[in-house]
Amino acid sequence: MSETLSVIFDGEVFKPETPVNLAPNTRYEITLRATPAHSEGISPELAQELEALKLLGDKALWKVAAQSHLTAKESQKLAQFHSKQQREGPESLSQEDLQTKDKLLYQYDRRMLIRAQALLLLKQRGLDISKLLKVS
């Protein structure tokens, strides 16, 4: 059995961030890996995805930086939600619309974070990223 757990070390004890399903009085082998400080407040999965960007070659990283955005359809839908709320008030969206809007905002934030990390890595590698920063 292999399981990944996120824990906090308080100086004396490791405290799991989520419930664990481990048998008491059983010996376990634990491998520790420090999570980068920038991952505070983000999911372990996203932190791993950001870490994995470091393993990509320049070409693949460039592609990630260039394509990490909402699709035109997603952007249009999000703009419609914002317009409706501005015109009709914050209570104008249905529960389903609010959930869709929240999901789109989460995807936008996630993709922008991935794009920013990819741009940072490219810059740190000495590449000119100015073409990726131009607004089209």
Side-chain angles (χ1 to χ4, degrees), residues 46-84:
L46 181 54
Q48 286 178 335
E49 193 171 345
L50 293 172
E51 276 297 305
L53 291 175
K54 294 178 182 178
L55 304 175
L56 295 178
D58 294 347
K59 201 174 206 179
L61 202 53
W62 191 275
K63 188 175 180 180
V64 168
Q67 295 180 344
S68 293
H69 53 77
L70 293 178
T71 66
K73 186 177 180 180
E74 291 169 328
S75 294
Q76 183 181 15
K77 189 71 172 168
L78 193 54
Q80 288 172 347
F81 289 142
H82 285 296
S83 293
K84 184 174 183 178

Side-chain angles (χ1 to χ4, degrees), residues 7-15:
V7 298
I8 304 246
F9 182 60
D10 67 6
E12 294 181 20
V13 177
F14 289 99
K15 297 179 181 180

Side-chain angles (χ1 to χ4, degrees), residues 11-31:
E12 294 181 20
V13 177
F14 289 99
K15 297 179 181 180
E17 293 181 338
T18 57
V20 295
N21 187 17
L22 301 174
N25 301 319
T26 304
R27 184 176 297 275
Y28 293 94
E29 181 178 306
I30 299 174
T31 303

Side-chain angles (χ1 to χ4, degrees), residues 73-110:
K73 186 177 180 180
E74 291 169 328
S75 294
Q76 183 181 15
K77 189 71 172 168
L78 193 54
Q80 288 172 347
F81 289 142
H82 285 296
S83 293
K84 184 174 183 178
Q85 283 185 308
Q86 287 178 342
R87 279 190 325 271
E88 301 173 23
E91 304 296 322
S92 62
L93 296 180
S94 68
Q95 192 64 32
E96 183 180 338
D97 286 347
L98 286 171
Q99 289 174 346
T100 302
K101 179 186 166 202
D102 287 346
K103 182 179 174 185
L104 288 170
L105 286 172
Y106 172 80
Q107 286 300 321
Y108 175 81
D109 289 346
R110 181 182 170 281

